[in-house]
Amino acid sequence: MVFSLSGGKRYMLGKGGKRKFDEHEDGLEGKVVSPTDGPSKVSYTLQRQTIFNISLMKLYNHRPLTEPSLQKTVLINNMLRRIQEELKQEGSLRPVFVTASQPADPLSDNFREAQPAFSHLASPSLLPTDLVSTTPLESCLTPASLLEDDTFCTSPTVQHDGPTKLPPPALQPVKDSFSSALDEIEELCPAPTSAEAVAVAAESAAGDSKAHPCESSVPKPEGVAESRTAESKLMEPLPGNFEITTSTGFLTDLTLDDILFADIDTSMYDFDPCTSAAGAASKMAPVSADELLKTLAPYSSQPVTPNQPFKMDLTELDHIMEVLVGS
Amino acid sequence: MKIHRRIGALRKMKCFPCQFSNTVKSTQFNTSALMSVFEQADIISTVEFNHSGELLATGDKGGRVVIFQQEQENKTQSHSRGEYNVYSTFQSHEPEFDYLKSLEIEEKINKIRWLPQKNAAQFLLSTNDKTIKLWKISERDKRPEGYNLKEEDGRYRDPTTVTTLRVPVFRPMDLMVEASPRRIFANAHTYHINSISINSDYETYLSADDLRINLWHLEITDRSFNIVDIKPANMEELTEVITAAEFHPNSCNTFVYSSSKGTIRLCDMRASALCDRHSKLFEEPEDPSNRSFFSEIISSISDVKFSHSGRYMMTRDYLSVKIWDLNMENRPVETYQVHEYLRSKLCSLYENDCIFDKFECCWNGSDSIVMTGSYNNFFRMFDRNTKRDITLEASRENNKPRTVLKPRKVCASGKRKKDEISVDSLDFNKKILHTAWHPKENIIAVATTNNLYIFQDKMN
């Protein structure tokens, strides 16, 4: 494999045994990796992507009965911000993650503020459209073919100077309409003044940049005194203050995905004996699971699960759209 | 080895499995099987010796406090110190429900701190996430007998049947230890309390949560003063939280608090009412060769403890213990690696949340040895003078009392020697977060998940 070549001496890749994902992962940690090297940049990117996904999972899949630890939340947030900063700085080499607004969650009362924390950075975050936009995904996840050629660095550049949405490639008609439907879902800013926000959001068609409409249309919900479920991370007793995790700008469409996507094969996500022993059994969001699957496909013997989400029925989507917009 | 002469070979005195299964908590939200409900509540969350070392208090996840008392030394058995037996058990905190946020408030005891003894009774402060309580533990070994209007069993006598009067007298009874809450300090913390520390004036104490530190007077429960507030105006900008705080053992105006970014700030309360500006900032510059994604997380300080002398302070971050001279801010004077072999496993430890474990640390009475816990029920001691260190295991395998503990070794990589344990076979669920050292003698208390081990060094 490519790692045993020039980058080999810098990485402790197992003990010459079968290269499993966890060994590979362990061997890469704690090393100074300059992102400018050839294949070593790939491993650095991979690791960064993995950590990014893990961090997202930690923030959004945890449903405690008690308030989650603020220290833990802050540390995970800092990790995500740092990765985002790096991604932003790398700019042309990486796809843009558009700043996402918080979609409405029709199944729970989990209303969150719409203000992404990183709007000022104009930095991107994960989108469900990434599921369908394979071009950005590929350049981000460096599938094996690109690795062998070491041409990922020259993948098509993507705009990085603003929260512009990437036009998804028209691979399948289903995907396009699917992505457009999801765009509209994302436009829904779940503020209490949502009537206004929804109206504004519903107007914006797919393909518009996300961050601006939501930022301008949704005023800060001062005086909001809703009781929030345990899913909300930090709570201030005084109304009008923000929760830190909801304002990170990281996508909360994971709850949306829970509605749309049923079972995703997460068996690829087992890392270590020690992690499985610890019972890190939270269900992975399909977004990150899919990306991980693509990441791991070249390195594992397990087949990649078929992309179930892309076979969504159009009518089902429309129905869901109606439900969301109507609520 | 000199360290053995100092600490000796530690002998296990007693192992206390927590046997609270008869206490059913009806408000437990634990949805797993009934057995694990009991086990969950038994998890020890804090361990603390009192100032004389005669009493050892433990707090657990179920809100209970168990106090052990050292037996008086038997003159005939001068080769061993007194053993610790259960002295008192009481329910300190109950689970509560925050209706505003629809969240449970855990009854888990985060910290216990003893007050110095002033009279026959003992006092301690115990805290959960939101409320601090002052408990009085008193003994009763006499009771009045011979009432005129009451029978011995408590029934009231008919006054018309009283023909003579007598004076009640105190007669000895079986020792009864009572715990009663004397003060409840509530509603002062929005975030989770992580530390309490009693001032050397023995009249005030501080309580610290993630973003604020409050100063209390032990007598006044309806008022506290905020002395540190690091909450940003915009919560989105929050990147750092307070992780621990402690008063200086001798200077009643000085305290320190540590942060999740690996800094320690020393503040002087004489400077201003709100000590947001530190007098000293202790921070070690990052080692660029060890930089990784997890550098910030592993630099987060989980515990800070002043030495008994007050000249040094010790901090515990995820991989190391650092000793700081209060006069030098730019780097620690000593650094001890607790489990450096975990540095290559940080991603997995991040994934299974172990990287967020908060290990505590402690000094021995003479400030010459420091101790902290690790995984696989290992705990480590570092002798500051000889620079030797030792790894020991608290487990039931060596169950017989008076068994001498064998030093353990973890093999990081390469060939594993006999009796060594490889990193991959470490049990990360068996973690020792809480340890305590007797203030005067070489007796240590080590808490595994739900067992308490008390060791003493071998006296020849």
Side-chain angles (χ1 to χ4, degrees):
Chain A
M1 284 272 197
V2 68
F3 294 108
S4 56
L5 300 177
S6 60
K9 62 173 165 19
R10 301 182 62 175
Y11 302 100
M12 188 181 65
L13 292 172
K15 285 48 172 196
K18 182 172 147 196
R19 188 174 298 112
K20 304 187 292 267
F21 181 71
D22 52 339
E23 275 181 358
H24 149 86
E25 175 189 289
D26 287 350
L28 292 174
E29 299 166 28
K31 304 289 179 194
V32 176
V33 183
S34 157
T36 55
D37 307 357
S40 59
K41 176 171 186 181
V42 170
S43 47
Y44 179 85
T45 312
L46 269 169
Q47 190 192 14
R48 183 173 59 192
Q49 185 65 42
T50 311
I51 295 173
F52 190 83
N53 296 337
I54 296 173
S55 306
L56 272 187
M57 258 190 49
K58 283 188 186 305
L59 280 184
Y60 291 105
N61 277 7
H62 187 44
R63 291 166 190 261
L65 293 164
T66 57
E67 250 175 295
S69 156
L70 181 60
Q71 180 197 0
K72 196 167 144 188
T73 310
V74 164
L75 288 172
I76 298 173
N77 267 316
N78 291 351
M79 174 82 87
L80 287 166
R81 285 184 204 196
R82 219 175 306 125
I83 294 180
Q84 270 208 343
E85 282 276 359
E86 267 187 33
L87 292 172
K88 185 195 167 214
Q89 278 168 12
E90 287 179 6
S92 57
L93 297 181
R94 287 285 164 265
V96 176
F97 293 134
V98 183
T99 312
S101 53
Q102 316 296 326
D105 181 357
L107 294 189
S108 80
D109 297 326
N110 189 12
F111 287 91
R112 305 180 186 202
E113 294 84 0
Q115 288 291 336
F118 305 92
S119 49
H120 63 284
L121 295 176
S123 58
S125 70
L126 282 173
L127 289 181
T129 49
D130 284 347
L131 265 173
V132 300
S133 329
T134 52
T135 304
L137 265 181
E138 278 169 5
S139 53
C140 161
L141 296 177
T142 64
S145 55
L146 294 179
L147 283 174
E148 307 245 0
D149 302 340
D150 199 25
T151 55
F152 71 98
C153 297
T154 59
S155 61
T157 65
V158 173
Q159 286 169 315
H160 64 284
D161 51 358
T164 10
K165 177 181 172 292
L166 300 165
L171 295 175
Q172 297 173 23
V174 171
K175 283 188 189 175
D176 268 350
S177 46
F178 178 66
S179 66
S180 61
L182 282 175
D183 290 342
E184 291 180 34
I185 293 172
E186 282 153 24
E187 298 295 359
L188 299 175
C189 306
T193 57
S194 55
E196 176 195 318
V198 166
V200 173
E203 286 169 14
S204 50
D208 283 352
S209 75
K210 289 178 181 33
H212 293 322
C214 263
E215 280 169 40
S216 54
S217 67
V218 179
K220 289 201 175 192
E222 315 272 26
V224 172
E226 300 167 344
S227 69
R228 284 155 191 178
T229 66
E231 255 198 328
S232 317
K233 297 303 184 282
L234 306 181
M235 282 302 302
E236 290 282 1
L238 303 172
N241 294 313
F242 286 113
E243 302 173 335
I244 185 169
T245 55
T246 62
S247 52
T248 59
F250 297 117
L251 191 63
T252 55
D253 71 325
L254 301 177
T255 49
L256 191 65
D257 288 346
D258 284 342
I259 318 161
L260 294 178
F261 310 130
D263 296 316
I264 294 290
D265 176 21
T266 58
S267 58
M268 295 290 293
Y269 197 61
D270 290 329
F271 282 118
D272 263 355
C274 71
T275 63
S276 49
S282 47
K283 180 180 175 217
M284 266 190 58
V287 173
S288 32
D290 245 2
E291 289 182 13
L292 266 182
L293 288 178
K294 290 198 171 199
T295 315
L296 300 173
Y299 308 113
S300 158
S301 54
Q302 289 189 27
V304 181
T305 13
N307 293 330
Q308 305 153 305
F310 303 119
K311 299 187 177 104
M312 179 70 65
D313 194 9
L314 264 185
T315 53
E316 214 174 310
L317 265 177
D318 283 343
H319 174 69
I320 291 171
M321 268 301 305
E322 279 168 26
V323 167
L324 290 172
V325 174
S327 62
Chain B
M1 286 219 311
K2 192 164 182 201
I3 194 173
H4 285 292
R5 215 181 304 148
R6 273 178 179 267
I7 304 177
L10 289 190
R11 295 193 301 167
K12 183 185 300 194
M13 274 193 344
K14 232 170 187 176
C15 166
F16 293 95
C18 296
Q19 290 160 346
F20 298 112
S21 3
N22 50 350
T23 311
V24 179
K25 309 228 21 105
S26 56
T27 47
Q28 277 288 354
F29 279 78
N30 200 318
T31 53
S32 38
L34 201 59
M35 262 320 286
S36 58
V37 172
F38 302 137
E39 290 162 11
Q40 278 282 315
D42 287 349
I43 294 174
I44 297 174
S45 50
T46 184
V47 182
E48 186 83 358
F49 279 99
N50 75 337
H51 290 254
S52 67
E54 184 202 357
L55 297 176
L56 173 66
T58 62
D60 67 19
K61 199 164 179 233
R64 287 171 302 239
V65 172
V66 180
I67 303 178
F68 301 91
Q69 183 188 42
Q70 190 178 26
E71 278 172 9
Q72 293 309 309
E73 276 189 32
N74 200 331
K75 297 293 184 247
T76 61
Q77 283 188 315
S78 57
H79 62 272
S80 81
R81 302 184 192 87
E83 295 201 343
Y84 282 83
N85 299 308
V86 177
Y87 176 66
S88 170
T89 305
F90 57 93
Q91 185 76 33
S92 170
H93 286 74
E94 295 280 354
E96 290 169 34
F97 195 75
D98 183 338
Y99 297 100
L100 192 65
K101 306 178 191 177
S102 291
L103 290 173
E104 230 191 33
I105 298 175
E106 266 194 302
E107 69 273 31
K108 173 169 72 94
I109 308 291
N110 293 334
K111 282 288 180 339
I112 290 175
R113 290 286 182 262
W114 289 93
L115 266 74
Q117 189 172 14
K118 283 196 273 196
N119 52 35
Q122 301 278 355
F123 288 86
L124 61 78
L125 282 176
S126 71
T127 184
N128 69 347
D129 284 339
K130 298 285 186 185
T131 305
I132 307 138
K133 294 188 183 181
L134 176 69
W135 287 89
K136 176 181 177 185
I137 297 109
S138 48
E139 292 183 3
R140 189 195 293 267
D141 61 354
K142 296 186 264 291
R143 64 182 177 137
E145 288 179 20
Y147 282 104
N148 292 295
L149 292 176
K150 264 197 312 193
E151 301 284 0
E152 294 307 326
D153 57 6
R155 280 179 305 150
Y156 281 98
R157 291 169 70 179
D158 183 359
T160 56
T161 63
V162 176
T163 53
T164 60
L165 287 179
R166 55 187 175 164
V167 177
V169 292
F170 276 100
R171 297 217 188 278
M173 60 177 258
D174 289 338
L175 179 66
M176 200 168 70
V177 181
E178 302 169 320
S180 59
R182 307 302 284 179
R183 307 270 186 278
I184 297 180
F185 306 91
N187 301 322
H189 285 279
T190 308
Y191 303 98
H192 292 179
I193 298 175
N194 52 54
S195 311
I196 48 175
S197 175
I198 299 175
N199 205 347
S200 48
D201 63 7
Y202 301 142
E203 285 186 356
T204 55
Y205 73 94
L206 63 77
S207 59
D209 67 25
D210 294 314
L211 297 177
R212 298 193 177 98
I213 303 180
N214 293 334
L215 181 71
W216 302 82
H217 192 284
L218 283 165
E219 299 290 329
I220 300 170
T221 60
D222 60 355
R223 211 179 320 149
S224 79
F225 294 96
N226 177 239
I227 50 177
V228 172
D229 189 342
I230 64 168
K231 179 167 176 276
N234 186 359
M235 278 293 276
E236 294 177 12
E237 294 162 6
L238 179 65
T239 57
E240 193 175 7
V241 297
I242 297 171
T243 53
E246 200 183 34
F247 266 119
H248 191 277
N250 304 323
S251 306
C252 59
N253 52 279
T254 306
F255 67 94
V256 294
Y257 68 93
S258 60
S259 81
S260 56
K261 287 198 172 168
T263 64
I264 309 103
R265 287 173 173 79
L266 184 142
C267 299
D268 187 336
M269 295 196 291
R270 298 171 298 188
S272 71
L274 188 61
C275 304
D276 275 358
R277 290 170 55 186
H278 53 264
S279 302
K280 294 197 185 199
L281 174 67
F282 297 85
E283 188 174 13
E284 184 175 27
E286 196 183 354
D287 179 7
S289 65
N290 271 337
R291 204 166 191 313
S292 77
F293 286 110
F294 308 100
S295 293
E296 189 198 357
I297 297 184
I298 62 169
S299 74
S300 174
I301 292 173
S302 51
D303 194 17
V304 63
K305 290 267 170 49
F306 277 105
S307 65
H308 292 94
S309 63
R311 164 118 188 252
Y312 298 98
M313 70 175 171
M314 165 167 56
T315 58
R316 173 73 156 97
D317 51 72
Y318 189 63
L319 295 180
S320 67
V321 162
K322 294 181 182 171
I323 305 213
W324 304 77
D325 186 323
L326 291 188
N327 301 316
M328 186 160 74
E329 298 169 59
N330 56 358
R331 61 179 172 82
V333 290
E334 295 157 36
T335 303
Y336 301 103
Q337 299 301 331
V338 181
H339 35 219
E340 180 71 12
Y341 45 79
L342 295 183
R343 194 179 286 274
S344 58
K345 306 275 180 204
L346 290 178
C347 196
S348 317
L349 295 166
Y350 178 65
E351 206 265 337
N352 66 9
D353 275 356
C354 281
I355 207 174
F356 299 107
D357 286 336
K358 295 196 196 159
F359 292 95
E360 293 176 7
C361 53
C362 61
W363 299 83
N364 74 338
S366 57
D367 297 337
S368 59
I369 304 177
V370 297
M371 174 169 68
T372 188
S374 177
Y375 292 106
N376 212 65
N377 282 346
F378 288 168
F379 58 101
R380 304 257 286 141
M381 290 184 191
F382 303 93
D383 189 321
R384 297 177 61 211
N385 299 328
T386 65
K387 303 300 177 199
R388 303 284 187 112
D389 61 89
I390 190 169
T391 305
L392 298 166
E393 183 178 0
S395 83
R396 286 178 156 285
E397 286 169 13
N398 324 321
N399 203 10
K400 288 188 298 214
R402 317 243 173 268
T403 313
V404 173
L405 290 182
K406 202 176 60 169
R408 317 288 285 173
K409 187 117 168 55
V410 177
C411 156
S413 61
K415 291 188 286 283
R416 187 175 76 87
K417 301 195 196 80
K418 181 178 176 293
D419 276 355
E420 281 188 1
I421 298 176
S422 83
V423 183
D424 298 313
S425 55
L426 291 176
D427 188 342
F428 290 92
N429 289 323
K430 294 187 184 169
K431 49 193 93 169
I432 292 181
L433 303 175
H434 311 285
T435 58
W437 203 305
H438 191 290
K440 297 183 173 59
E441 297 167 13
N442 278 341
I443 301 176
I444 59 173
V446 173
T448 60
T449 307
N450 44 9
N451 286 331
L452 179 73
Y453 293 79
I454 301 179
F455 300 109
Q456 63 173 352
D457 70 337
K458 191 167 69 168
M459 292 166 71
N460 299 320

